[in-house]
Amino acid sequence: MDRSLGDLGAVSGPARVAGPGEGIGADELGLATRNHGLPLEALRYDVTPPGLHYVLVHYDIPDTDAEDWRLTVGGRVLRPLEVDLAALRDLPVVTRRVTLECAGNGRARLTPRPVSQPWLVEAVSTAEWTGVPLAALLDAAGVAEDAVEAVFTGADHGVERGVEQDYRRSLPLATAADPGRDVLVAYGMNGAPLPPQHGSPLRLVVPGWYGMAHVKWLREITLTATPYTGFQQSTAYRLRQEPGEPGEPVTLIAPRALLAPPGFPDFMTRARVVRPGPVPLTGRAWSGHGPVVRVEVSEDGGAAWTDAEVVPDPAHPWAWAAWRTTWTATPGLRHLAVRATDATGRVQPLAAPWNRGGFANNLVQRVEVLCAPEPEDRGPSGTP
Amino acid sequence: MDRSLGDLGAVSGPARVAGPGEGIGADELGLATRNHGLPLEALRYDVTPPGLHYVLVHYDIPDTDAEDWRLTVGGRVLRPLEVDLAALRDLPVVTRRVTLECAGNGRARLTPRPVSQPWLVEAVSTAEWTGVPLAALLDAAGVAEDAVEAVFTGADHGVERGVEQDYRRSLPLATAADPGRDVLVAYGMNGAPLPPQHGSPLRLVVPGWYGMAHVKWLREITLTATPYTGFQQSTAYRLRQEPGEPGEPVTLIAPRALLAPPGFPDFMTRARVVRPGPVPLTGRAWSGHGPVVRVEVSEDGGAAWTDAEVVPDPAHPWAWAAWRTTWTATPGLRHLAVRATDATGRVQPLAAPWNRGGFANNLVQRVEVLCAPEPEDRGPSGTP
């Protein structure tokens, strides 16, 4: 059980939102410099190279040893299991291409700003995960009739809002045990063992769900006869307007499209520069609720929208879709925007819906682009 | 030549320092979410896994193709070269373990704060780089008698303070052509091809120098008869008190020690929690000026210091040294600090020397630790 420790108050405070005009503070910066997003130009890769995949670690990356690792499957099961990696590799193996997004993506653009990891828009990536279907593992253990949830415990240990804990989250059994949901106990990423920051040697992958469900450094699965109410389930990752509310749980990823910013950037502002004429615009779009069926692009900051071509890949239903269009750039400062609509009719909002945790915010992306002619006196490329 | 483009002023401003009390702004946050430091617990690895190695990209990660890549060696040489990766692999190959640190590490702790990538302390990592000694490549091209510098051009293109440019830096020929300096044209990192964010397919590695010298996505080496005065050499990466000064160039890495923060963290503050009793303290220390000969630890915020054991590795003179000691923790809020001294007598300062770019700042690291007893009612580990 999570333990609330009064004397941890010296280093661990309650959740809060930033005051009016309050800049990003030291704590938020400390998170931003160690965690990282996808550099947006890396949207060019169908599968994100591991070192470019976004990373959010709640506590420390634990010092794990794949050789000695054991995963237990217990609680409301008929045959409790304890398996090492060799035993897992003897079970059925599947590989799934999955787009992961942090539930807090976009948080830093909210007003007032919830104080936590200050993502702008870049906390999303796609990888090929290889492992054992969770449904097969639960079959091997035998699910007791009264089981309703599966609780997943990671090896990362820390304090959050005064509560000392191992990172722990649950899934409804209907999701965990459904082969069609493709939930995996993964030991491989892009054809190699998991890197330390992505859960070495074992992690959960829950296609379509925000990142908080994909428990890393997975060491224990416990089936329970009552819903799990620990910190990461009932305190964190809820959609609340006021602190006291129970709130709705954060679950499936809301639709979002991102543009790989065109042209080249300014170092400091990250604003873009393009030349006049046709400019290819490409990017990715995804939703945990269903396939993305429409991507629209605006050249005028969101007043008028035109359809881009969406290029879904039926072989990878849990991964982002590519999209593309061509923009005819004319000189001046331009404001591009892009938005996605999924098969359930969900569409990205032009004004961000606010909640105290800054979760599931899928505000449309805006990209500032200066269209400027090629300088006339430009010398031969590369002459120093 | 770099081109100064007046109309780029709409997206690209001059260098500046933050005003009094000015929090981290949107531009700095945009850099912090895409670049990233070493999560400090990863100081545990002698060689940093590639995805945990710090990353600072000035513009975009270019979309390079290793198959078609060509490196030219020209200017004041006797036999201009154009080589592909296969040709480079036919030349002598060496592997060197090298600690890299960003010249701006620690910038965000300065007052007033230079506005740029807001590193706290974590922009350092160590990798095994494999490639061709630059001295061998220059031998093959033949150095003209009047050559004084080697200029290195990367494929990353962008704007900085109004100046459109390819990223480009020079080294004195005395450094570039000296086999004893171990400057490499590297095509491998930790036994694999370079990842995109670390310069795929080719980069320069300049052991002992800050990161700005290690030009990534290297496509051109040009020997010159006069010193190079482009943007990254004469405008950026200078130690200046006032904007108009020529300033001293940033070159070798100043000594620094870092502590792998002990115990476990609070999510938001990153402050640490340990139990009373002996606590192993370990970390790394390095200097570009010479071997680290002393690491000292303070338990009281820098008033009193005791020596830690430094464990140098003579096989890897360009890599950080490990250090270790044991701290007997007693209940309460503690302030650890650590500092390094190198063989030239350089020692880390207790007050940061300030310059307008926030470069080569090697202020001692401070780590807040709460020592708190194990909670008495703590249940069996891992029971949900």
Side-chain angles (χ1 to χ4, degrees), chain B:
Chain B
M1 189 178 286
D2 306 326
R3 305 282 162 172
S4 186
L5 303 178
D7 61 357
L8 294 179
V11 296
S12 189
R16 72 180 190 92
V17 297
E22 180 184 332
I24 297 289
D27 288 352
E28 291 164 291
L29 181 59
L31 290 172
T33 55
R34 58 178 270 117
N35 296 306
H36 69 89
L38 179 80
L40 292 184
E41 64 272 28
L43 289 165
R44 75 169 70 107
Y45 306 108
D46 291 336
V47 175
T48 311
L52 293 175
H53 195 292
Y54 93 86
V55 174
L56 187 286
V57 175
H58 272 246
Y59 311 123
D60 280 3
I61 299 167
D63 190 9
T64 60
D65 181 347
E67 292 302 308
D68 288 340
W69 200 257
R70 295 292 182 279
L71 172 67
T72 62
V73 184
R76 305 303 303 149
V77 298
L78 306 180
R79 296 171 294 277
L81 302 177
E82 182 178 298
V83 290
D84 62 10
L85 261 70
L88 283 173
R89 288 202 187 87
D90 284 342
L91 292 171
V93 58
V94 298
T95 294
R96 294 288 178 270
R97 186 178 297 181
V98 178
T99 294
L100 252 71
E101 183 173 9
C102 184
N105 201 12
R107 177 185 287 126
R109 295 229 186 271
L110 293 175
T111 304
R113 184 181 75 250
V115 174
S116 183
Q117 166 71 37
W119 297 121
L120 293 165
V121 75
E122 59 290 301
V124 63
S125 301
T126 295
E128 301 263 10
W129 301 100
T130 297
V132 181
L134 178 60
L137 199 60
L138 294 181
D139 269 353
V143 176
E145 277 192 12
D146 62 353
V148 298
E149 284 199 352
V151 181
F152 304 89
T153 304
D156 44 334
H157 185 87
V159 188
E160 208 160 341
R161 305 185 214 163
V163 181
E164 184 180 338
Q165 59 191 284
D166 292 336
Y167 188 84
R168 185 174 286 141
R169 286 271 313 179
S170 74
L171 285 175
L173 197 62
T175 299
D178 178 0
R181 294 291 316 179
D182 274 339
V183 181
L184 298 187
V185 174
Y187 47 75
M189 181 186 189
N190 297 1
L194 300 186
Q197 71 274 29
H198 291 294
S200 175
L202 278 185
R203 74 174 298 169
L204 199 66
V205 173
V206 189
W209 286 56
Y210 280 114
M212 77 282 152
H214 305 234
V215 177
K216 297 192 282 283
W217 312 290
L218 180 67
R219 60 177 183 78
E220 187 179 288
I221 301 173
T222 304
L223 300 199
T224 58
T226 55
Y228 175 64
T229 59
F231 181 92
Q232 302 294 347
Q233 207 78 23
S234 299
T235 302
Y237 296 114
R238 311 290 290 198
L239 303 172
R240 292 189 182 94
Q241 295 298 309
E242 299 296 336
E245 299 172 12
E248 288 298 308
V250 177
T251 57
L252 298 177
I253 298 174
R256 192 194 292 268
L258 286 179
L259 167 68
F264 54 86
D266 176 64
F267 169 76
M268 193 64 224
T269 66
R270 299 298 305 169
R272 315 297 300 189
V273 180
V274 300
R275 304 300 178 208
V279 176
L281 298 182
T282 65
R284 307 283 172 175
W286 62 94
S287 167
H289 296 274
V292 167
V293 295
R294 186 178 197 187
V295 171
E296 297 163 282
V297 173
S298 172
E299 305 174 8
D300 58 6
W305 297 84
T306 58
D307 279 336
E309 181 191 4
V310 181
V311 192
D313 183 349
H316 301 294
W318 301 115
W320 54 26
W323 62 263
R324 59 192 173 206
T325 190
T326 299
W327 168 46
T328 303
T330 54
L333 195 57
R334 307 297 170 204
H335 295 88
L336 302 181
V338 56
R339 70 177 174 195
T341 303
D342 71 19
T344 71
R346 286 176 172 85
V347 57
Q348 287 184 254
L350 294 174
W354 189 89
N355 61 81
R356 286 188 64 83
F359 297 122
N361 158 20
N362 62 338
L363 183 66
V364 298
Q365 176 198 23
R366 293 172 188 280
V367 178
E368 190 176 63
V369 183
L370 176 69
C371 176
E374 184 95 17
E376 286 176 19
D377 63 345
R378 195 161 171 76
S381 168
T383 308

Side-chain angles (χ1 to χ4, degrees), chain A residues 160-161 163 229-238 240 246 359:
Chain A
E160 209 160 341
R161 304 185 215 166
V163 181
T229 59
F231 181 92
Q232 301 294 347
Q233 208 78 23
S234 299
T235 302
Y237 296 113
R238 312 288 290 196
R240 293 189 181 94
F359 297 123

Side-chain angles (χ1 to χ4, degrees), chain A residues 172-333:
Chain A
L173 197 64
T175 298
D178 178 0
R181 292 293 314 180
D182 275 338
V183 180
L184 298 188
V185 174
Y187 47 75
M189 180 185 190
N190 297 0
L194 301 186
Q197 72 274 30
H198 292 293
S200 176
L202 278 185
R203 73 174 299 169
L204 199 66
V205 173
V206 189
W209 285 57
Y210 280 113
M212 77 281 152
H214 305 234
V215 178
K216 296 192 283 285
W217 311 291
L218 181 66
R219 61 176 182 78
E220 187 179 288
I221 301 173
T222 305
L223 301 198
T224 58
T226 55
Y228 174 65
T229 59
F231 181 92
Q232 301 294 347
Q233 208 78 23
S234 299
T235 302
Y237 296 113
R238 312 288 290 196
L239 303 172
R240 293 189 181 94
Q241 294 298 309
E242 300 294 337
E245 299 172 10
E248 289 298 310
V250 177
T251 57
L252 298 177
I253 299 174
R256 192 195 292 266
L258 286 179
L259 167 67
F264 53 87
D266 176 64
F267 169 75
M268 193 63 226
T269 65
R270 299 297 307 168
R272 314 298 300 190
V273 180
V274 300
R275 305 299 178 208
V279 175
L281 298 182
T282 64
R284 307 283 172 174
W286 62 93
S287 167
H289 295 275
V292 167
V293 295
R294 187 177 197 188
V295 171
E296 296 163 282
V297 173
S298 171
E299 304 172 11
D300 59 4
W305 296 85
T306 58
D307 279 334
E309 181 191 3
V310 181
V311 191
D313 183 349
H316 301 293
W318 300 115
W320 54 26
W323 62 264
R324 60 190 173 205
T325 189
T326 300
W327 168 44
T328 302
T330 54
L333 196 58

